[in-house]
Amino acid sequence: MAVRRIIEIGDPVLRVGAAPLRPEAIGTPELRQLVVDIVDTMRASGGIGIAAPQIGEPVQAVVIEIAAESTRYPDMQPFALEVFLNPRITVLDATPQSFWEGCLSVPGLRGLVARPRGVRVDYLTVDGLEQSIVAEGFLATVFQHELDHLDGVLFVDRLPDTRRLATIENYVRFWRDADPEILDL
Ligand code: NI
């Protein structure tokens, strides 16, 4: 187990974007170890998703896991641990939906971001198998947030209204129960 340091906003590494993994890299012990480190780091931080650039590795690898006992997002539907290599996203339903997002690389803040409500993600597993998954609702937002990291984009770049950017304390105090757009939180 290796919990790595999470790179935080302001570090240019987060803005570079990530290269696709070459076919010969898939399934190697080095990549498997990197995935273990990504998972360990996400779990140690209480996150529900993380992308390789957040630990300083500029490759297209994302992990999502929504544990039933998630402390950061206690009301979400669970999602079993999954690794997404070289993911490609297709919008299936462009209807905007808004969620208050947080990010391990933007500590202490939440912001209300609108994104399409339905997506399909085509990806490779750690064993190199081609898979696809359809996501709606909050999970669709999670995918879009994590895949944005592979393009060097952070959720704060997508805030339509910076008045809806808050410390977690003020999010809980002023917005969590008050904002009608948060249908599922
Ligand atoms: Ni993030």
Side-chain angles (χ1 to χ4, degrees), residues 54 103 145 149:
Q54 294 181 269
C103 181
H145 175 118
H149 280 295

Side-chain angles (χ1 to χ4, degrees), residues 69-92:
E69 68 275 19
S70 168
T71 52
R72 281 168 62 90
Y73 299 90
D75 303 326
M76 294 303 142
Q77 286 288 315
F79 183 80
L81 178 68
E82 188 87 49
V83 181
F84 305 90
L85 304 180
N86 294 352
R88 293 288 171 271
I89 198 160
T90 304
V91 173
L92 299 181

Side-chain angles (χ1 to χ4, degrees), residues 11-74:
D11 189 322
V13 166
L14 284 177
R15 301 309 204 160
V16 172
L21 287 154
R22 292 145 57 106
E24 57 267 32
I26 309 283
T28 60
E30 291 77 17
L31 182 60
R32 289 177 191 278
Q33 185 56 53
L34 174 59
V35 167
V36 169
D37 287 359
I38 294 170
V39 171
D40 289 345
T41 304
M42 176 186 69
R43 288 177 168 168
S45 313
I48 59 172
I50 191 170
Q54 294 181 269
I55 61 166
E57 301 283 350
V59 297
Q60 293 186 2
V62 159
V63 166
I64 294 173
E65 179 184 48
I66 306 177
E69 68 275 19
S70 168
T71 52
R72 281 168 62 90
Y73 299 90

